[in-house]
């Protein structure tokens, strides 16, 4: 079980770092740099992997626990889902979608980092 949890944490972290990092990087590019279809597919693939691994970790590690830590992680998870929805749904305005998603993913990262310390 520990190996499975370690693998899921690694997958969740690697996919999440790529997703959040590429999103944040795209918000600081000039409008002439367009989101390529290849990068969009890579971002959405990373989003799916990060969310799926996060959901699996939630089920395995947290189970049915309820408390401040789980609530904080839940807020982060909702922000991540919203970010994926914004990025996938706003194809006509990709820079705006990246900017909105960047804020949501930043909140997600903060929630994950602070969750063990929330009382």
């Amino acid at each position: 079980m520990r190996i499975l949890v370690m693998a899921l944490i690694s997958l969740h972290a690697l996919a999440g770092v790529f997703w959040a990092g590429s999103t944040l990087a795209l918000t600081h590019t000039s409008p002439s740099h367009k989101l390529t279809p290849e990068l969009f597919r890579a971002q959405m693939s990373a989003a799916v992997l990060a969310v799926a691994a996060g959901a699996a970790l939630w089920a395995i590690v947290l189970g049915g626990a309820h408390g401040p830590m789980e609530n904080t992680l839940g807020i982060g998870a909702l922000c991540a889902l919203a970010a994926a929805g914004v990025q996938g749904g706003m194809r006509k305005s990709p820079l705006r979608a990246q900017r909105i998603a960047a804020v949501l993913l930043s909140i997600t990262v903060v929630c994950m980092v602070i969750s063990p310390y929330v009382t």
Side-chain angles (χ1 to χ4, degrees):
M1 183 65 84
R2 282 178 23 170
I3 291 177
L4 175 61
V5 170
M6 289 188 295
L8 286 170
I9 289 170
S10 299
L11 182 61
H12 183 63
L14 290 171
V17 165
F18 173 77
W19 180 24
S22 64
T23 299
L24 287 163
L26 283 170
T27 65
H28 295 291
T29 60
S30 73
S32 63
H33 293 101
K34 297 189 177 190
L35 177 64
T36 64
E38 294 82 13
L39 182 55
F40 176 75
R41 280 193 300 275
Q43 280 188 311
M44 292 298 95
S45 296
V48 168
L49 284 173
V51 169
L57 283 166
W58 184 287
I60 293 169
V61 176
L62 299 177
H66 296 289
M69 183 178 88
E70 292 79 15
N71 292 339
T72 304
L73 288 172
I75 291 167
L78 290 175
C79 287
L81 291 171
V86 166
Q87 285 177 307
M90 292 182 67
R91 296 289 291 152
K92 291 184 181 180
S93 181
L95 183 58
R96 176 177 280 169
Q98 295 296 329
R99 288 179 176 161
I100 294 168
V103 171
L104 292 166
L105 290 171
S106 295
I107 294 168
T108 297
V109 170
V110 168
C111 286
M112 285 192 298
V113 170
I114 68 168
S115 66
Y117 308 102
V118 177
T119 56

